[in-house]
């Protein structure tokens, strides 16, 4: 299907997409892939921008993946708006949108699971058991269906990105993984599809999360230890918002082990629960001339 007045192709079945992207047909054209769960925002559009700069064809998937939601999580209430997503994807220059149904993606379940390694034991993996199994399951299916040259993932989901990089490396998957910086609102809140589920009061408090992370990043640059920093960041979030802390953690990145003097990249990550919405955010710092500096976000 081609949406009127745009040239975006909307494909709903695996068979049709595989035919369309068959390597013999696409010849030397490179494919950049942007997997999403829809309800697009500037963070997704930044992934598309990077994909367009580096590839001939940009494919986006929109699929709210039930396999990565646990019991009691927000699968049902996860925001969805197909028409708006198609308009945004089209104006961002996406060539093909793959928007399958749950039945199309999971017609049967043979019970085979993909289990991530130690990188999934902490941060979101600790409070969302099975979440990354579900992410790897859908990502592997999508990679097999789209067969992209490059796939684009946002650093807001830094743990997801680290696990996917390891998966691709360990299993020799064909796609390259491209890291794309976090996109923030003007007040510092990381863009997220879930932000619409915050109440007005929570939305006005939520920038406290990034402010607290920045305090933590400054403390790290001044030589404070990870434990003290985690504590100070948590205190700052709690005293400036009604959110409750799921975790605040400082780790070496992307291995997600303890911070050591050999860590060339360090992540300070947190998850904060508001009434119905759980937000995650992070700052990644890299060593430059012997000191740690915060990696740039996209504004
Ligand atoms: O980051 C997301 O939106 C999802 O986890 C992904 C990668 C599209 C898999 O469902």
């Amino acid at each position: 299907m081609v949406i009127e007045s745009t040239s975006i192709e909307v494909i709903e079945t695996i068979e049709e997409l595989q035919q369309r992207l068959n390597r013999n047909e696409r010849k030397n054209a490179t494919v950049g892939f942007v997997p999403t769960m829809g309800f697009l925002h500037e963070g997704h559009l930044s992934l598309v921008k990077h994909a367009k700069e580096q590839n001939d064809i940009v494919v986006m998937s929109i699929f709210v993946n039930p396999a990565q939601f646990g019991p009691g999580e927000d699968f049902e209430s996860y925001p969805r708006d197909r028409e708006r997503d198609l308009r945004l994807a089209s104006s961002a220059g996406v060539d093909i949108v793959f928007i399958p149904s749950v039945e199309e993606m999971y017609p049967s379940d043979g019970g085979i699971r993909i289990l991530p390694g130690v990188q999934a034991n902490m941060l979101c993996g600790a409070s969302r058991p099975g979440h990354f199994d579900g992410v790897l399951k859908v990502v592997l299916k999508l990679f097999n269906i789209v067969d992209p040259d490059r796939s684009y993932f946002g650093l807001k989901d830094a743990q997801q990105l680290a696990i996917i990089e390891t998966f691709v490396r360990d299993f020799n998957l064909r796609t390259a993984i491209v890291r794309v910086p976090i996109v923030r609102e003007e007040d510092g809140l990381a863009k997220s599809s879930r932000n619409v589920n915050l109440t007005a009061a929570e939305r006005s408090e939520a920038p406290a999360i990034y402010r607290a992370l920045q305090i933590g990043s400054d403390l790290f640059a001044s030589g404070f230890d990870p434990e003290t920093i985690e504590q100070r960041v948590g205190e700052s979030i709690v005293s400036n918002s009604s959110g409750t802390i799921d975790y605040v953690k400082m780790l070496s990145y992307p291995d997600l082990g303890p911070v050591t003097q050999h860590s060339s990249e360090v992540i300070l990550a947190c998850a904060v629960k508001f009434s119905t919405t759980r937000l995650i955010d992070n700052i990644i710092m890299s060593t430059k001339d012997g000191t740690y500096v915060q990696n740039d976000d996209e504004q």
Side-chain angles (χ1 to χ4, degrees):
M1 182 206 302
V2 175
I3 298 281
E4 264 175 52
S5 79
T6 73
S7 54
I8 197 166
E9 281 175 68
V10 181
I11 296 183
E12 295 180 352
T13 66
I14 295 169
E15 193 184 348
E16 195 187 339
L17 189 65
Q18 283 185 317
Q19 271 168 14
R20 173 70 177 79
L21 294 175
N22 181 301
R23 286 222 173 228
N24 293 332
E25 303 288 321
R26 76 201 212 201
K27 303 203 165 64
N28 292 328
T30 55
V31 170
F33 177 44
V34 178
T36 81
M37 298 205 300
F39 213 71
L40 303 180
H41 52 69
E42 282 89 338
H44 299 112
L45 303 183
S46 161
L47 302 179
V48 172
K49 183 168 156 271
H50 285 79
K52 277 189 77 65
E53 282 164 6
Q54 298 175 348
N55 302 278
D56 302 308
I57 301 172
V58 175
V59 180
M60 173 186 277
S61 62
I62 298 179
F63 179 63
V64 185
N65 171 35
Q68 69 190 72
F69 289 80
E73 291 189 349
D74 59 349
F75 175 68
E76 299 299 339
S77 61
Y78 195 87
R80 295 161 169 88
D81 190 336
R82 178 187 163 111
E83 295 318 312
R84 175 179 169 278
D85 282 347
L86 292 179
R87 270 199 314 278
L88 286 173
S90 170
S91 47
V94 172
D95 299 293
I96 301 171
V97 175
F98 177 50
I99 183 159
S101 64
V102 173
E103 296 70 33
E104 178 70 12
M105 285 298 278
Y106 299 121
S108 60
D109 185 359
I112 295 177
R113 293 172 66 196
I114 304 167
L115 298 180
V118 289
Q119 285 165 303
N121 292 351
M122 64 288 293
L123 308 179
C124 292
S127 43
R128 303 186 68 189
H131 168 68
F132 290 111
D133 311 11
V135 170
L136 292 185
K137 181 174 182 173
V138 80
V139 161
L140 181 61
K141 284 176 72 83
L142 290 167
F143 286 168
N144 283 332
I145 295 164
V146 176
D147 196 4
D149 296 282
R150 300 182 188 85
S151 302
Y152 294 78
F153 290 87
L155 275 160
K156 182 164 124 353
D157 296 304
Q159 184 178 19
Q160 166 175 280
L161 179 40
I163 292 170
I164 291 171
E165 282 178 348
T166 304
F167 185 44
V168 165
R169 185 198 66 210
D170 286 4
F171 289 85
N172 308 97
L173 304 184
R174 186 141 63 161
T175 186
I177 300 297
V178 182
R179 295 182 181 185
V180 179
I182 296 178
V183 183
R184 298 184 179 280
E185 302 285 357
E186 275 187 9
D187 59 14
L189 177 63
K191 302 246 183 197
S192 164
S193 305
R194 290 188 167 96
N195 290 348
V196 292
N197 290 337
L198 295 168
T199 64
E202 290 167 346
R203 173 64 190 82
S204 67
E205 297 163 4
I209 298 172
Y210 184 51
R211 284 201 301 274
L213 290 175
Q214 285 178 305
I215 293 170
S217 150
D218 291 346
L219 290 173
F220 190 60
S222 342
F224 281 76
D225 62 282
E227 227 170 281
T228 309
I229 294 168
E230 288 162 10
Q231 194 182 335
R232 296 269 189 94
V233 170
E235 283 165 3
S236 174
I237 294 171
V238 167
S239 51
N240 292 296
S241 79
S242 58
T244 56
I245 304 294
D246 183 350
Y247 62 77
V248 177
K249 197 79 196 146
M250 199 160 193
L251 295 167
S252 176
Y253 193 80
D255 58 296
L256 304 179
V259 177
T260 71
Q261 58 198 21
H262 305 295
S263 306
S264 58
E265 280 188 298
V266 164
I267 186 167
L268 175 58
C270 66
V272 181
K273 283 183 193 156
F274 288 91
S275 55
T276 61
T277 312
R278 180 177 174 281
L279 299 183
I280 58 170
D281 199 355
N282 71 76
I283 283 179
I284 293 181
M285 293 156 270
S286 308
T287 36
K288 203 172 172 195
D289 306 327
T291 53
Y292 282 95
V293 292
Q294 189 181 321
N295 292 358
D296 286 339
D297 292 329
E298 284 184 7
Q299 292 299 328

